[in-house]
Structures are given as structure tokens and as C-alpha cells.
């Protein structure tokens, strides 16, 4: 890890100077990232497109903190302290003083590129980190939307963010070694996560392995090979997975699975990556999994 000289001569990790985080998007992943960072003591600004999305995102985050209170992981006073570290805004201009920004909006390349272009204009720190939590869009494309592609890197979290230890660090061809090391230091030293590195290839390491498996489960259901509960119970009881592939797809969100599958297919042209018709129709129908109340399983209750 590269170090920065302090005035008194001691060396400090650049990660220790990253105290102000911006999170763009307060959906499933953005709210989890903001929660983890605020619990780790960072000053966190969260941005959503409008007041209603902001309010829904804030409620999601508060519900997750309340779950921690109920489970005895934090006191009510600690929850309030964590909430005090969070600022909710609809303005991207509020991100001017951020040290690190993590974009976590829906998987739409144009929207993400516009966000990176806007951030490039407002963030003033010369060595700020511009990160994306994308699971399907090349980091290179997001870097090229800015004038500082050497500072753009993938920082890919896993759902539920407060629970899963892993973060994938994904440099593009133009990301500098300083940015990669600083991002890794930020994620491990400030957020307490474990990292692996991946090249900027569709799916990175984990989704490139996981998504074909999830798609295979959808095809198995679609073809009438086995029922949803049997497929899920098979992998939980037979292979000690914490949840079966259809329930996991519901947790991740079927729209996200479809986006990752399309990006894998576009990159590698392997039939096993192509999203099966059942998945496409469910997304069209708004059956997105747990977040919409229904996917392969029902969550209405
Ligand atoms: N937020 C915070 N904590 C949560 C949580 C959430 N949303 N969901 C569960 N937890 C915590 C609980 O508080 C509990 O903590 P404790 O053991 O310290 O009390 C622990 O996790 C276990 O929770 P539960 O007992 O309620 O439920 P389960 O034992 O069924 O665990 C699960 C739920 C953690 C989701 C577990 O089933 C699991 O790990 N599943 C696999 C998830 C996975 O594979 N995620 C990766 C998806 S891929 C991805 O995200 C990449 C993307 O790009 C597609």
C-alpha cells in the first residue's frame, strides 16, 4: 500500500484520509453501502433522483438499522449516532467535498455515464476515488465518461451488504495503481471488508461463476425438470448453500440477474449466459423478486 507523508514525518495510509463518502443511489445496494460506511464512522452523503426515492431509500436503511437494534447488534443510541452521520440529498452538487464516491444506481450505462460525467465536474479532491458498484457495465466505459479515468475503479459489493464480507476491486485498463491501492485500503481499513481483484470483464469473478448457475436453475424450472422449492431445497440441503438459486435470484433482483446475464452474453457469446425466456417475462411483468414482493417465491406476507 502506498503511503502519504504527514507534516510530522510519519507515514499514513491514504485510506485514513478518506472520511467523506458519497453514495449515488439508495436502492438495495446503495442503502447497504451507506449503512456499512456510516456504521464504520464515515460521513456519508446519499443521493437519489427525487424526494420519493430518497424517502424510500432512507426507510430501507433505517429498517436495516432497526433490525440490528432488534438483534442486539447496536443500541438505539448507536443507531441514532449512525443516522446522524448520514445526509440525504437529491443534489449531485452536494458531493463536491467527497473523498470517495460509489455509484450504485440501476444497471443502465447511459445513466451511469451521465452520473460519472457530473461527478467529474463537482468533486474537488484531486485524488478522489470515483467508484461504481456495477455488476455488468465495463469500468472502462464509466472511466471514459470522466476526464480522470485513472481515478475510476469498480468497487463491487455483495447483497446483503452489511452481511457479505466480500468486495471485488476492478481496475480498468486506465485505472492507476494509486487508485487501486487506495480503493483497496478504503474498503479493507475503513469498511472492514475483504477484497479480491478482478479484471474488467463482464461479471468480474463472482457473477461470472454465479450467474450461469442461477440461469441453469431458471431453465430447470422453466422446462418442468423440477419445482422451485425442490430446486432450492436441493442446493440448501445437498450442498449446504445458505439459500437455493431461485431464492437467491429473488434476493439479488431478477432485473439485476437479467442485466448481468445480458452483459455476460454480449461479452462472451456463450449460450449458457443468455437469459432464459422465463426470466425475461418475469422482469417484463415486474416480478423482480423480494424487492417487488414476488419472484420465484412470494414475499407478500
Ligand atoms: N441486512 C443486515 N443484516 C442481515 C440482512 C440484511 N438485509 N439479512 C440478514 N442479515 C443478518 C441477520 O441479522 C443475521 O445476523 P446474525 O446471525 O448475526 O444474527 C444473519 O444475517 C442471518 O440472517 P437470518 O438468520 O435472518 O437469515 P439467514 O440465516 O437465512 O441469512 C442471508 C440470510 C444472510 C441472506 C443468507 O441466506 C445468505 O448469505 N445468502 C446468500 C446471499 C448471497 O449469496 N449473496 C450474494 C449475492 S450476489 C451479489 O450480491 C452480487 C450482485 O452483483 C448480483
Amino acid at each position: 500500500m502506498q503511503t502519504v507523508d504527514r507534516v510530522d514525518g510519519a507515514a499514513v495510509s491514504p485510506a485514513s484520509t478518506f472520511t467523506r463518502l458519497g453514495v449515488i443511489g439508495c436502492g438495495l445496494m446503495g442503502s447497504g453501502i451507506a449503512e456499512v460506511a456510516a456504521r464504520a464512522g464515515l460521513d456519508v452523503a446519499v443521493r437519489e433522483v427525487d424526494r420519493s426515492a430518497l424517502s424510500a431509500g432512507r426507510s430501507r436503511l433505517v429498517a436495516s438499522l432497526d433490525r440490528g437494534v432488534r438483534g442486539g447488534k447496536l443500541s438505539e443510541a448507536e443507531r441514532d449516532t449512525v443516522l446522524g452521520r448520514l445526509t440525504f440529498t437529491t443534489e449531485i452538487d452536494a458531493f463536491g467535498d467527497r473523498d470517495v464516491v460509489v455509484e450504485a444506481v440501476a444497471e443502465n450505462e447511459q445513466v451511469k455515464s451521465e452520473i460519472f460525467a457530473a461527478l467529474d465536474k463537482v468533486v474537488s479532491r484531486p485524488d478522489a476515488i470515483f467508484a461504481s458498484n456495477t455488476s455488468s457495465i465495463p469500468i472502462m466505459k464509466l472511466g471514459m465518461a470522466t476526464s480522470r479515468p485513472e481515478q475510476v475503479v469498480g468497487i463491487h459489493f455483495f447483497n446483503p451488504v452489511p452481511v457479505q464480507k466480500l468486495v471485488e476491486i476492478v481496475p480498468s485498463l486506465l485505472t492507476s495503481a494509486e487508485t487501486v491501492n487506495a480503493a483497496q485500503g478504503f474498503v479493507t481499513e475503513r469498511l472492514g471488508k475483504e477484497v479480491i481483484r478482478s479484471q474488467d470483464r463482464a461479471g468480474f469473478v463472482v457473477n461470472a461463476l454465479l450467474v450461469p448457475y442461477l440461469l441453469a436453475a431458471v431453465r430447470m424450472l422453466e422446462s418442468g425438470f423440477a419445482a422451485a422449492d425442490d430446486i432450492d431445497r436441493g442446493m440448501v440441503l445437498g450442498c449446504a448453500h445458505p439459500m437455493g438459486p431461485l431464492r437467491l435470484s429473488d434476493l439479488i433482483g431478477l432485473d439485476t440477474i437479467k442485466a448481468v446475464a445480458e452483459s455476460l452474453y454480449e461479452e462472451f457469446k456463450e449460450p449458457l449466459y443468455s437469459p432464459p425466456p422465463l426470466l425475461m417475462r418475469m422482469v417484463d411483468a415486474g416480478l423482480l423478486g423480494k424487492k417487488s414482493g414476488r419472484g420465484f417465491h412470494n414475499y407478500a406476507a
Side-chain angles (χ1 to χ4, degrees):
M1 162 66 57
Q2 223 199 8
T3 55
V4 171
D5 285 338
R6 250 184 2 217
V7 183
D8 62 9
V12 294
S13 154
S16 64
T17 72
F18 293 136
T19 58
R20 289 182 296 258
L21 174 70
V23 181
I24 307 267
C26 198
L28 218 50
M29 299 302 285
S31 64
I33 295 165
E35 178 189 338
V36 164
R39 287 177 76 161
L42 274 77
D43 162 349
V44 185
V46 186
R47 188 249 186 183
E48 259 297 352
V49 276
D50 56 36
R51 287 275 140 208
S52 129
L54 202 58
S55 159
R58 188 178 191 282
S59 302
R60 180 179 289 115
L61 203 157
V62 171
S64 182
L65 288 173
D66 283 344
R67 176 189 186 123
V69 172
R70 280 196 307 278
K73 284 188 196 149
L74 78 170
S75 67
E76 287 189 9
E78 284 164 338
R79 175 199 58 200
D80 295 343
T81 304
V82 170
L83 281 173
R85 296 188 188 120
L86 287 149
T87 312
F88 294 87
T89 178
T90 54
E91 303 297 326
I92 218 158
D93 290 350
F95 281 47
D97 66 347
R98 299 293 99 182
D99 303 312
V100 180
V101 181
V102 180
E103 166 278 312
V105 305
E107 297 290 60
N108 179 315
E109 187 182 321
Q110 192 184 337
V111 172
K112 285 184 192 270
S113 295
E114 284 167 11
I115 287 169
F116 274 80
L119 287 171
D120 186 27
K121 291 201 178 74
V122 300
V123 175
S124 59
R125 180 170 166 155
D127 64 343
I129 295 176
F130 297 86
S132 176
N133 181 59
T134 183
S135 7
S136 62
I137 292 164
I139 303 304
M140 186 77 269
K141 297 209 169 165
L142 303 178
M144 293 311 280
T146 74
S147 65
R148 331 180 217 184
E150 66 283 359
Q151 288 165 237
V152 178
V153 65
I155 298 187
H156 182 224
F157 292 82
F158 291 81
N159 184 12
V161 181
V163 178
Q164 307 299 343
K165 290 297 279 179
L166 184 70
V167 168
E168 290 176 310
I169 298 282
V170 187
S172 80
L173 284 178
L174 297 181
T175 311
S176 69
E178 287 76 14
T179 299
V180 176
N181 289 335
Q184 180 155 337
F186 173 71
V187 165
T188 56
E189 294 166 34
R190 303 304 310 237
L191 303 186
K193 298 287 187 190
E194 310 260 349
V195 305
I196 60 170
R197 289 196 190 182
S198 169
Q199 287 204 17
D200 186 17
R201 294 286 181 278
F204 312 140
V205 170
V206 173
N207 280 335
L209 293 170
L210 176 67
V211 170
Y213 155 67
L214 301 179
L215 298 177
V218 177
R219 283 191 197 97
M220 194 173 246
L221 176 71
E222 187 171 39
S223 67
F225 191 140
D229 274 340
D230 288 332
I231 294 169
D232 279 346
R233 277 165 52 79
M235 295 310 289
V236 170
L237 300 177
C239 297
H241 288 197
M243 63 209 319
L246 299 172
R247 198 167 285 283
L248 178 55
S249 299
D250 282 349
L251 177 77
I252 293 169
L254 304 195
D255 50 343
T256 301
I257 306 275
K258 174 175 172 266
V260 180
E262 284 171 345
S263 118
L264 281 162
Y265 185 70
E266 192 181 320
E267 183 121 304
F268 301 112
K269 305 289 187 289
E270 297 279 359
L272 83 166
Y273 294 131
S274 73
L278 176 60
L279 181 71
M280 315 265 268
R281 295 302 171 277
M282 289 178 74
V283 172
D284 290 342
L287 304 176
L288 305 182
K290 203 172 169 191
K291 65 184 168 189
S292 75
R294 192 176 143 199
F296 294 108
H297 299 277
N298 214 324
Y299 302 87

